[in-house]
Amino acid sequence: MDLRKHFDDRVAKTDAILKEMTKEVCLLLKGACKLLNNYNSERAEQLIQDDKKIDAFEMSIDDGCFQLIATEQPVAGDLRRIVAITKITADLERIGDIGRYVARYAKKEVPENFAEYIPRLISMGEHGINMLQNAMATFWSMDVEEARAVASQDDTLDEMHQGLRREIIRSMKNDPEHIKNGQRLLELSRLMELLGDHVTTVCEWVIFATNGKHIDLN
């Protein structure tokens, strides 16, 4: 077999697993966001368990990449791409953890005076999911400019978090009895904001895989 084709076939298999991992991460995040508006204990537990599948994907991809490096000894662009895959996989695993945390935080009923914030939290989650899907698309297309554009959308998520944070704190001050619930919503907002940070890091690795440059997009 042609050595280049053999290498490309192995990379293609790793890419296929990465795409499956991305799909599972997005499904976990979407499911967790839905729980905020319509909690279901069985569904929450299922999502929490689904995070284990994402962990398994990470180990599988890492093993595949390390074997590629050890047996194929890739150089230049090929090596950068493999390294980027391992880094992106790590961020996907952390994003999966965010989905698991959101599913756990969704367990308690939200008091009426905090209910107005739930749609905004869900909107933050949807924005982050859209960023993630677009960021991964730039990896497979190796589109540096689009990766930068996706990363810039994190500013919107930061603004949403800061605005929501101010309003939740104001509500907590007005009704100290609900401080604990307010803290839970603050943590949810922080997790949604953190989602954008991880996606931005994915975009940075897209740029590294393409031209070997380490760029800080945060």
Side-chain angles (χ1 to χ4, degrees):
M1 178 185 289
D2 177 79
L3 292 178
R4 182 69 216 185
K5 184 177 186 306
H6 180 258
F7 176 80
D8 289 342
D9 287 346
R10 293 185 66 180
V11 172
K13 289 180 181 179
T14 302
D15 271 343
I17 300 173
L18 183 60
K19 288 179 181 178
E20 283 298 313
M21 183 181 186
T22 302
K23 179 181 176 181
E24 287 295 331
V25 170
C26 290
L27 287 173
L28 175 54
L29 287 170
K30 289 176 181 177
C33 286
K34 287 182 180 178
L35 287 178
L36 293 174
N37 202 34
N38 186 19
Y39 182 72
N40 179 289
S41 59
E42 291 184 6
R43 179 59 175 154
E45 185 57 35
Q46 179 186 344
L47 289 171
I48 291 170
Q49 293 302 315
D50 283 348
D51 185 48
K52 294 179 180 179
K53 290 193 290 185
I54 295 170
D55 294 342
F57 275 124
E58 180 188 24
M59 289 187 286
S60 176
I61 292 171
D62 280 351
D63 286 346
C65 287
F66 295 151
Q67 287 177 16
L68 274 171
I69 292 172
T71 61
E72 303 289 345
Q73 298 181 338
V75 296
D78 291 333
L79 181 58
R80 291 200 305 269
R81 182 176 177 83
I82 293 170
V83 170
I85 287 174
T86 64
K87 298 295 186 178
I88 289 172
T89 301
D91 275 294
L92 286 175
E93 189 276 332
R94 294 185 185 104
I95 292 171
D97 287 344
I98 289 175
R100 173 165 54 88
Y101 293 145
V102 171
R104 283 180 174 171
Y105 275 109
K107 286 184 178 181
K108 294 184 180 180
E109 184 178 352
V110 177
E112 186 176 344
N113 60 329
F114 283 99
E116 64 180 290
Y117 302 127
I118 295 301
R120 292 167 64 180
L121 284 169
I122 294 173
S123 180
M124 290 176 69
E126 291 173 344
H127 183 83
I129 293 167
N130 186 61
M131 282 182 64
L132 175 58
Q133 291 172 326
N134 290 337
M136 292 307 298
T138 70
F139 177 69
W140 287 299
S141 65
M142 290 288 109
D143 190 331
V144 170
E145 292 309 311
E146 186 60 26
R148 289 179 179 273
V150 173
S152 69
Q153 295 171 17
D154 185 39
D155 291 342
T156 299
L157 208 49
D158 291 341
E159 292 171 4
M160 295 169 76
H161 169 61
Q162 292 302 327
L164 188 56
R165 182 176 180 274
R166 285 192 296 269
E167 293 187 34
I168 292 173
I169 290 175
R170 189 181 304 120
S171 295
M172 290 166 66
K173 289 179 178 179
N174 292 336
D175 193 347
E177 290 185 6
H178 294 303
I179 287 178
K180 184 175 293 187
N181 287 299
Q183 289 174 331
R184 183 162 59 94
L185 292 182
L186 286 174
E187 181 61 16
L188 282 168
S189 182
R190 188 193 70 83
L191 287 169
M192 299 303 188
E193 187 270 338
L194 186 59
L195 169 57
D197 292 342
H198 284 304
V199 175
T200 299
T201 304
V202 169
C203 293
E204 292 172 357
W205 286 113
V206 171
I207 294 172
F208 171 79
T210 305
N211 56 32
K213 294 181 180 179
H214 288 282
I215 305 294
D216 185 358
L217 297 176
N218 277 303

